[in-house]
Amino acid sequence: MAGSGTAHLRDREDIVLSVEDLVVEFPLGGGRKVHAVSSVSFDLAEGETLGLVGESGCGKSTTGRAVMQVPRPTGGSVRLRGADLTGLSGEALRRTRTQLQMIFQDPISSLNPRRKVRDIIGEGLSIWRPDADAAESRKRVDELLDAVGLDPETSGDRRAHQFSGGQCQRICIARSLVLDPDVLICDEPVSALDVSVQAQILNLLEDMKARYGLTMLFIAHDLAVVKNISDRVAVMYLGKICEVGTADAVYARPAHPYTNALLASVPRPDPEARAPSAPLEGDVPSPIDPPSGCRFRTRCPKAQERCAAEEPLVREIGPDHFIACHFPVDAPEAPASLDERSTAASSS
């Protein structure tokens, strides 16, 4: 699984965000480093939601933050409407980054406890539109508070500790929309909330997407949540992309052994529902010293010698459905590499 390649990137005029060969590494000293994100590529079209899913520690959140250039990527490119953010710095980067906004995992700690809600939401306007009429700015803040289901009159002058977790996340959503961003990055926005509140926030995000024409990168480890909100899904493992496709294709016909195991392990209310045909065994390898070839091979039930010697490349197996695997589930085996074909010809 976990491979490299850009076969799944689309050549379309409506692509808003294009990430190609993104690399994020953290030095540890002594020549060692954490390979947090390795050659990850994906794109987002206008009005589309891409769900980025995988186990904890696979690099999902680091990928989202690297898109924002916090931290700056070690390698690769991040293009927002054609502008490469990795080549910008200083004031140019700050201004361009206003078109990328983020909703954080912990809504309460992401809000300033000393400031009133109206000031928190309107801070972007005060920084980037200082000459705007105060009445118009207040009207914009009140409009967003109302849009996320909070009464501007009763909530605008209160502080974060006076709200529940779900209400704080609504405030975070309003704050992220105040500057009309091109892309909204949602970093596990419902994982810290109760199940009933999760549904409310997901429905709110869908409403906001329809109302404001949002383009979203939705990061989560809950497969059910990702399915309900995403147009396309990208599955990550140990810093690599392993499967990309429409939500319907990935969930109905998971071709990668890792994706297949993840979906099979989701609890179902039906006692007759199938259990994983080949449960994953072993621990996730260390990102400091990832396995050679396919990074998933140490836990994959279909692993063979080729998986250790050759990293799989992303390839298409169906309409808008791509995988990085030599021996996928219910899909053709990957073609032999040039080296393998040369070896086979010499042997014959």
Side-chain angles (χ1 to χ4, degrees):
M1 145 190 148
S4 303
T6 58
H8 55 295
L9 296 184
R10 297 164 293 179
D11 184 15
R12 291 169 43 172
E13 294 183 357
D14 63 342
I15 295 298
V16 178
L17 178 70
S18 180
V19 177
E20 187 169 346
D21 293 328
L22 187 71
V23 177
V24 181
E25 298 173 342
F26 300 105
L28 295 175
R32 301 190 308 158
K33 54 189 175 183
V34 176
H35 303 270
V37 179
S38 302
S39 298
V40 164
S41 301
F42 60 85
D43 55 26
L44 270 168
E46 190 89 43
E48 184 177 66
T49 298
L50 173 67
L52 189 59
V53 64
E55 293 174 290
S56 296
C58 72
K60 306 184 301 297
S61 294
T62 302
T63 297
R65 293 172 182 270
V67 169
M68 296 281 295
Q69 306 298 297
V70 184
R72 298 297 292 262
T74 308
S77 65
V78 179
R79 296 187 178 275
L80 179 66
R81 296 196 182 278
D84 189 353
L85 301 186
T86 59
L88 301 178
S89 61
E91 184 70 9
L93 177 60
R94 290 182 67 240
R95 287 191 175 276
T96 305
R97 197 156 45 191
T98 60
Q99 297 308 304
L100 289 166
Q101 295 295 323
M102 180 172 280
I103 301 173
F104 297 95
Q105 181 173 351
D106 187 345
I108 297 176
S109 64
S110 68
L111 298 175
N112 190 330
R114 297 177 179 272
R115 306 194 67 185
K116 296 179 180 179
V117 165
R118 182 173 282 110
D119 295 331
I120 291 174
I121 296 174
E123 184 175 17
L125 294 175
S126 64
I127 293 174
W128 295 106
R129 301 173 189 174
D131 298 329
D133 181 72
E136 286 298 318
S137 296
R138 183 185 177 92
K139 180 180 178 181
R140 172 64 173 166
V141 171
D142 288 352
E143 172 195 323
L144 286 169
L145 279 170
D146 184 66
V148 298
L150 296 175
D151 180 21
E153 295 301 322
T154 59
S155 62
D157 292 327
R158 296 164 67 188
R159 290 175 171 79
H161 72 274
Q162 297 175 283
F163 294 89
S164 67
Q167 289 173 323
C168 285
Q169 197 62 290
R170 292 173 183 269
I171 296 169
C172 293
I173 293 172
R175 175 180 61 181
S176 69
L177 298 178
V178 73
L179 292 176
D180 297 313
D182 286 329
V183 176
L184 185 61
I185 300 175
C186 307
D187 184 12
E188 306 225 28
V190 297
S191 63
L193 307 176
D194 292 338
V195 174
S196 60
V197 180
Q198 288 183 11
Q200 296 174 16
I201 297 301
L202 291 174
N203 290 335
L204 175 60
L205 284 172
E206 286 287 89
D207 292 342
M208 295 297 99
K209 178 181 176 180
R211 178 181 297 191
Y212 296 103
L214 298 179
T215 301
M216 294 193 295
L217 174 62
F218 191 92
I219 300 168
H221 63 269
D222 189 324
L223 296 169
V225 167
V226 171
K227 179 182 179 182
N228 290 332
I229 200 170
S230 303
D231 300 302
R232 301 177 83 227
V233 174
V235 183
M236 282 188 71
Y237 179 84
L238 202 62
K240 291 274 191 176
I241 292 288
C242 64
E243 187 161 359
V244 181
T246 63
D248 290 339
V250 171
Y251 281 79
R253 300 177 299 279
H256 198 281
Y258 177 63
T259 309
N260 191 62
L262 284 181
L263 292 175
S265 64
V266 175
R268 290 171 173 80
D270 181 4
E272 301 298 326
R274 67 187 180 95
S277 56
L280 296 182
E281 298 180 355
D283 298 325
V284 179
S286 170
I288 299 175
D289 185 23
S292 63
C294 172
R295 293 189 176 182
F296 184 60
R297 65 177 176 81
T298 58
R299 303 173 70 198
C300 181
K302 303 189 69 173
Q304 300 183 30
E305 290 183 5
R306 179 181 181 185
C307 302
E310 179 188 346
E311 181 182 20
L313 296 178
V314 176
R315 60 189 175 92
E316 187 172 16
I317 59 169
D320 200 11
H321 193 180
F322 302 82
I323 61 166
C325 180
H326 296 309
F327 307 103
V329 178
D330 297 329
E333 180 179 325
S337 66
L338 181 60
D339 291 340
E340 288 179 320
R341 292 198 297 269
S342 300
T343 302
S346 300
S347 301
S348 60

